[in-house]
Amino acid sequence: MELGIGMFGDLAIDQQTGKYKDAGIKIREIIDQVKLMDEVGIDVFAMGEHHRPDYAVSSPEIVLAAAASVTKNIKLASGVTVLSSSEPVKVYEDFSTIDLISDGRAEIFVGRGSFIESFPLYGYSLNDYEELFDEKLELLLKINSEENVSWSGKLRPSMQNQTVYPRAKNNGKIPIWRAVGGTPQSVLSAAQLGMPLIVAIIGGMPVQFKNLIEFYKQEYLKVGFPESEMQIAIHSHTFVSDDKNVVEGYFENYKSQMDRIGKSRGWAPYTKMQYDGGRAKEGALFIGNSNEVADKIAYMKEIFGITRFIGHMDVGAPEDSIMRKSIELFGEKVAPQVR
């Protein structure tokens, strides 16, 4: 099983100015942190895409390209590419370039994203939310498998025998994962296309997703794809510290981000009871000491038979030194125990 770390580039609020902290500093910290991940043996890094003031990264491709230049082994993925509001040709070109810079380590996680700011920003209508994604996924998969592309759809102009360069290393093919939040139709689509699946489990109890993942396995095999090629991942909020006081203190970081997002979504203020409940064995938060986090990831393997776990590790913008210690523990203690 592969173990990875994901980030969104959360920005904390400067208590003196009341403004978000400097995005440039955050991005440089992220690149240094990915270098550390590579050094401690983490398998995958996933960089998210957002178009909001509370996140530093709107272009994960640029950050991944920078990370490619300072790493040797770690796979570099988007987490996620909001494909509905992206241009599939440019997505492929960007990631094939990362693939060449990194000597074949690029991956793409495609999804609809958890925010919708990119739609009006790029001039797309939310009325086309579903159809935009389906069309663009079809085109991206075609570009990924064919050098000369002919394609037609309703919402994007057609392509007639056009070529897309540069081509990625593996005969032009980049691993493309389908990221979902729990919608059965999305899971069915991934299975029918034979795409690797990554499920975001960030609340409730992970076991509630068991039927959904079994549904994916059933439909994947029904189409005729080989079981040996099936890949399933989960993506959950994660933070590791062997200092109990640091784990307890991380509640304030976590609460600040949950409450910030919750204001626009009508959520009640986040509570310590929710935090502690999520940290329990049955909960969805992989937050605790290295033994607790390792045991919980192993439990996910038992429940779901996953082939990859991505720990989303920068919720609430912990300080760089705390993040680096969490990364070290994840690579040097958690990963060996899980493996």
Side-chain angles (χ1 to χ4, degrees):
M1 182 169 66
E2 292 181 308
L3 293 167
I5 291 175
M7 296 183 185
F8 284 172
D10 293 34
L11 290 172
I13 292 177
D14 188 312
Q15 297 303 315
Q16 293 182 333
T17 66
K19 298 179 180 179
Y20 290 108
K21 291 189 176 180
D22 187 273
I25 293 173
K26 171 62 73 171
I27 290 170
R28 291 190 291 274
E29 288 177 350
I30 290 171
I31 293 166
D32 284 341
Q33 289 164 6
V34 181
K35 185 174 184 290
L36 176 61
M37 292 176 208
D38 194 47
E39 292 168 354
V40 299
I42 303 300
D43 297 306
V44 188
F45 171 66
M47 185 75 251
E49 171 193 338
H50 293 89
H51 306 266
R52 298 163 50 95
D54 48 344
Y55 296 105
V57 180
S58 61
S59 181
E61 300 87 351
I62 302 297
V63 175
L64 294 173
S69 69
V70 297
T71 56
K72 296 178 180 178
N73 300 303
I74 193 168
K75 295 176 181 177
L76 301 166
S78 56
V80 302
T81 295
V82 184
L83 191 59
S84 309
S85 57
S86 299
E87 166 48 52
V89 171
K90 191 69 168 66
V91 169
Y92 180 85
E93 289 174 338
D94 287 344
F95 280 90
S96 64
T97 302
I98 296 168
D99 198 62
L100 297 177
I101 294 170
S102 66
D103 196 26
R105 292 185 279 129
E107 296 189 353
I108 309 171
F109 299 170
V110 297
R112 293 178 172 87
S114 58
F115 297 97
I116 57 172
E117 285 83 1
S118 62
F119 286 80
L121 188 64
Y122 293 138
Y124 291 102
S125 171
L126 285 169
N127 293 330
D128 300 323
Y129 185 81
E130 300 287 346
E131 197 168 8
L132 276 168
F133 183 85
D134 293 341
E135 270 201 9
K136 291 186 175 187
L137 178 59
E138 180 184 273
L139 177 55
L140 179 61
L141 294 175
K142 194 171 185 68
I143 294 168
N144 197 44
S145 61
E146 300 176 17
E147 190 168 339
N148 297 299
V149 177
S150 293
W151 175 90
S152 62
K154 295 180 181 178
L155 300 172
R156 187 213 182 269
S158 300
M159 295 180 68
Q160 296 298 327
N161 196 32
Q162 291 173 283
T163 54
V164 182
Y165 295 115
R167 303 303 295 175
K169 280 202 67 174
N170 182 29
N171 296 318
K173 294 181 181 178
I174 302 167
I176 301 176
W177 292 64
R178 178 71 182 269
V180 304
T183 306
Q185 186 56 43
S186 297
V187 170
L188 176 62
S189 172
Q192 290 176 336
L193 291 168
M195 297 180 69
L197 181 73
I198 180 163
V199 182
I201 302 178
I202 58 174
M205 294 185 293
V207 73
Q208 294 170 313
F209 289 78
K210 185 173 176 60
N211 287 342
L212 193 72
I213 290 176
E214 291 302 319
F215 176 57
Y216 169 81
K217 294 177 181 179
Q218 170 191 309
E219 296 301 318
Y220 181 97
L221 296 173
K222 185 186 292 185
V223 176
F225 296 111
E227 186 173 5
S228 60
E229 295 179 10
M230 185 187 298
Q231 295 185 76
I232 302 169
I234 65 171
H235 172 279
S236 295
H237 292 165
T238 302
F239 178 78
V240 190
S241 176
D242 287 339
D243 184 333
K244 184 177 180 180
N245 291 329
V246 173
V247 173
E248 289 294 316
Y250 180 63
F251 167 71
E252 296 301 331
N253 294 81
Y254 199 82
K255 174 179 171 58
S256 68
Q257 188 70 346
M258 291 300 101
D259 287 350
R260 190 179 306 145
I261 296 169
K263 280 184 181 180
S264 63
R265 299 187 177 183
W267 299 347
Y270 192 78
T271 68
K272 186 65 161 52
M273 185 179 294
Q274 287 175 281
Y275 184 71
D276 292 339
R279 290 184 55 224
K281 181 180 179 180
E282 297 78 14
L285 297 183
F286 292 72
I287 297 172
N289 65 44
S290 50
N291 292 329
E292 291 168 337
V293 173
D295 287 346
K296 203 162 182 177
I297 295 172
Y299 180 49
M300 296 302 102
K301 176 75 170 178
E302 291 178 19
I303 296 174
F304 301 122
I306 54 175
T307 58
R308 178 182 285 185
F309 175 85
I310 303 288
H312 186 92
M313 204 175 277
D314 67 342
V315 179
E319 293 292 332
D320 179 55
S321 60
I322 295 175
M323 277 291 299
R324 292 179 68 85
K325 188 61 180 178
S326 181
I327 291 165
E328 285 179 1
L329 289 170
F330 195 77
E332 295 176 353
K333 287 194 174 182
V334 174
Q337 286 188 55
V338 173
R339 290 172 183 141

